[in-house]
Amino acid sequence: MSQVSQVREIGVGLLGLGNVGSGVVQLLADNAAAIEERLGARVVVRRIAVREAKKRRKVAVDRRLLTTDARAVIDDPDVAIVVELVGGEAEAKQYVLHAIERGRHVVTANKALLATHGPELFAAAAKRGVELYLEAAVCGGVPVLRALREGLASDKIEALHGIVNGTSNFILSTMTAEGRPFDEVLAAAQREGYAEADPALDVDGGDAAHKLVVLAMLAFGARVRLADVYVEGIRQITPVDHAYAERFGMVVKPLVIARDHGTEGLELRVHPTMIPKRWLLASVAGVNNAVYVTSRALGHSMYYGRGAGMMPTAVAVVSDVLEIARNVLGRSPGMAATSVPRLTRRAVRDIGLLRSRYYLRFAVLDRPGVLAQLAGVLGKHEVSIAHVTQEGKEPERAVTVVILTHEARERNVRLALAQVAKLASVVEAPRLVRLCE
Ligand SMILES: NC(=O)c1ccc[n+]([C@@H]2O[C@H](COP(=O)([O-])OP(=O)(O)OC[C@H]3O[C@@H](n4cnc5c(N)ncnc54)[C@H](OP(=O)(O)O)[C@@H]3O)[C@@H](O)[C@H]2O)c1
């Protein structure tokens, strides 16, 4: 922070001027007067690190601010807040640690970095007495982390159900609405810019898992291993599954689910889930995100909006910058030096322990006794049937059998399905979708 003329200034050093960085520059410029009025100080971007200095930029920016040396930005004595928007893990981690060492406050949108190295970074920030803010890392512009950190600070969070990956939600919503297969909808999403050329991180659940780990930090103060989160993507969901969901008054959504089981650990899972159409989350369509929080005193609350994109993400980043600036300007003696979360190691429950209802789909040869065989294997594993549907009646051709179970233990369901898969009349691997009601 430096003093120039009468107006106080907060110096920001930007690492990255891609999608989000450009949005940050744009938002700070568009709202400069309002920000100055509210903060009583000016937020000034002092320097910007990029990989290629000569590249065309999405926003008008003074080229003299650009450098390819991220450390020079961090070391600039007029930079009080470093905003990390380079993405990736290794370099970003080095930059954030360097910024903390130099006593800079940090804002990052990097969920991959936080999910893997968050606890180490928070510990470093707490030790050095600087802030590490991360609102944009989950649900872009939707202030869900702020709600967990502040709005619900006096409450105890019991569970979260969220749609936190816009690409997966766009694909499943389009499949539901248009009855088209996954590959076709993915290709269309890529053409329209809703999916990356390499969609794996989005459609296979990795991005959602990063966000779930970050949510668990804020909701439960939990330090968990990313590798312990159960992750299943959406590639296996077919138009047939959507059609059955519709028939049962349900819809398939790409959910992240977290539940606190106290001394028995945390339930953390990412997978497509059938939910009742009457649920608020069922109407969260397209690229939108939402997190539905269950807390002891408040009950239910939901946070909804655009989870990605240049300007929505920039809103979260700039709000973090403003909050840090406000704290820096108004810090009174005796206040804690930093508000970074204090984390406790928590065990993540094995998915086998889950008790849930299940949608099971089988392709079987239409022979007498096949249904009884399926029921027998499920029954032997304590999986009881709530509903059975069989489609088609063509001897010696595969027909579809769909079973909805009562609540069962996942470990038992898996053992049963492994045994069913070996039956001579079963022609493809059984499919499973978890229900949440
Ligand atoms: N895009 C979104 O909607 C969104 C939403 C939420 C969170 N995020 C997170 O926000 C972060 C940034 O995402 P983005 O979409 O803005 O990425 P991006 O468009 O790829 O931009 C990355 C920027 O970082 C610069 N850069 C990369 N490595 C660098 C290095 N070693 N030194 C200096 N500059 C470097 C690049 O420079 P050049 O421009 O010269 O190549 C580019 O300007 C990521 O962590 C992402 O996960 C993004």
Side-chain angles (χ1 to χ4, degrees):
M1 194 186 356
S2 74
Q3 292 229 317
V4 178
S5 71
Q6 307 296 47
V7 185
R8 287 193 289 178
E9 293 188 348
I10 297 281
V12 168
L14 210 52
L15 310 182
L17 188 60
N19 273 312
V20 185
S22 303
V24 168
V25 168
Q26 187 75 53
L27 200 62
L28 284 172
D30 289 351
N31 297 340
I35 289 172
E36 188 176 327
E37 194 183 301
R38 253 180 253 163
L39 202 61
R42 222 173 259 157
V43 175
V44 182
V45 177
R46 301 276 185 215
R47 301 196 79 180
I48 305 174
V50 291
R51 204 182 277 288
E52 283 178 56
K54 295 214 163 66
K55 199 167 168 180
R56 248 179 90 91
R57 297 293 157 186
K58 292 183 179 144
V59 281
V61 58
D62 180 349
R63 293 252 155 202
R64 286 170 303 182
L65 298 182
L66 301 186
T67 170
T68 53
D69 182 359
R71 284 173 189 262
V73 174
I74 297 165
D75 292 338
D76 186 323
D78 286 334
V79 164
I81 304 172
V82 169
V83 177
E84 184 280 305
L85 298 169
V86 296
E89 282 179 41
E91 281 176 318
K93 182 183 175 195
Q94 294 315 314
Y95 297 155
V96 170
L97 283 174
H98 183 61
I100 292 169
E101 270 163 34
R102 299 303 304 258
R104 313 293 187 240
H105 301 290
V106 176
V107 175
T108 179
N110 194 332
K111 53 257 179 180
L113 172 70
L114 291 162
T116 326
H117 304 289
E120 180 186 343
L121 301 177
F122 286 133
K127 194 163 167 213
R128 189 66 177 79
V130 296
E131 299 289 6
L132 174 54
Y133 273 40
L134 55 146
E135 185 61 60
V138 180
C139 292
V142 186
V144 60
L145 300 185
R146 190 160 272 109
L148 295 174
R149 188 162 54 83
E150 290 179 2
L152 299 172
S154 60
D155 207 349
K156 169 143 179 46
I157 292 160
E158 294 171 335
L160 302 170
H161 293 77
I163 295 174
V164 296
N165 183 270
T167 305
S168 299
N169 197 38
F170 174 84
I171 291 173
L172 288 184
S173 305
T174 308
M175 289 175 74
T176 302
E178 300 175 10
R180 288 152 66 203
F182 172 84
D183 289 334
E184 210 180 297
V185 175
L186 171 62
Q190 285 169 320
R191 281 196 300 277
E192 289 163 40
Y194 293 132
E196 302 280 343
D198 178 2
L201 201 56
D202 291 317
V203 302
D204 295 329
D207 174 74
H210 289 153
K211 292 167 179 167
L212 183 57
V213 168
V214 175
L215 283 167
M217 290 180 196
L218 275 289
F220 308 120
R223 174 181 184 165
V224 297
R225 276 165 30 104
L226 176 64
D228 291 342
V229 175
Y230 179 77
V231 183
E232 194 181 296
I234 61 167
R235 291 185 201 259
Q236 298 297 318
I237 301 295
T238 66
V240 175
D241 301 316
H242 287 290
Y244 276 104
E246 169 73 30
R247 213 191 278 188
F248 301 134
M250 305 192 92
V251 60
V252 186
K253 286 290 183 191
L255 288 202
V256 298
I257 299 174
R259 189 176 297 280
D260 193 345
H261 290 262
T263 53
E264 291 176 16
L266 286 180
E267 181 182 325
L268 294 177
R269 46 194 174 109
V270 177
H271 53 71
T273 308
M274 277 194 195
I275 59 172
K277 278 184 164 180
R278 62 184 152 75
W279 272 29
L280 283 176
L281 283 175
S283 52
V284 175
V287 293
N288 286 307
N289 283 194
V291 177
Y292 184 87
V293 180
T294 307
S295 56
R296 193 173 288 167
L298 174 64
H300 303 299
S301 56
M302 188 164 104
Y303 309 89
Y304 166 83
R306 284 295 299 271
M310 173 170 156
M311 297 315 289
T313 311
V315 167
V317 171
V318 174
S319 299
D320 278 355
V321 168
L322 298 187
E323 191 173 325
I324 293 175
R326 208 176 294 120
N327 292 345
V328 168
L329 292 165
R331 177 152 288 149
S332 47
M335 244 174 109
T338 165
S339 57
V340 293
R342 306 294 198 270
L343 305 177
T344 309
R345 167 73 70 194
R346 295 287 304 274
V348 178
R349 285 162 70 84
D350 185 83
I351 189 72
L353 295 173
L354 177 70
R355 286 193 68 82
S356 171
R357 292 191 64 203
Y358 295 84
Y359 157 97
L360 307 175
R361 179 164 59 77
F362 306 92
V364 299
L365 294 177
D366 189 14
R367 291 179 181 153
V370 172
L371 272 181
Q373 267 183 322
L374 290 181
V377 175
L378 290 170
K380 207 177 82 190
H381 291 88
E382 294 172 30
V383 180
S384 76
I385 296 173
H387 178 95
V388 185
T389 309
Q390 180 177 334
E391 295 292 308
K393 191 147 184 49
E394 296 175 66
E396 293 308 310
R397 296 273 308 271
V399 295
T400 301
V401 173
V402 165
I403 290 177
L404 295 184
T405 72
H406 286 297
E407 197 172 277
R409 184 74 79 187
E410 172 124 354
R411 192 174 36 218
N412 295 350
V413 174
R414 288 179 180 222
L415 287 171
L417 293 190
Q419 199 173 329
V420 165
K422 291 185 195 143
L423 297 175
S425 48
V426 171
V427 299
E428 66 175 46
R431 300 291 167 82
L432 164 166
V433 183
R434 294 166 194 85
L435 267 61
C436 226
E437 291 170 301

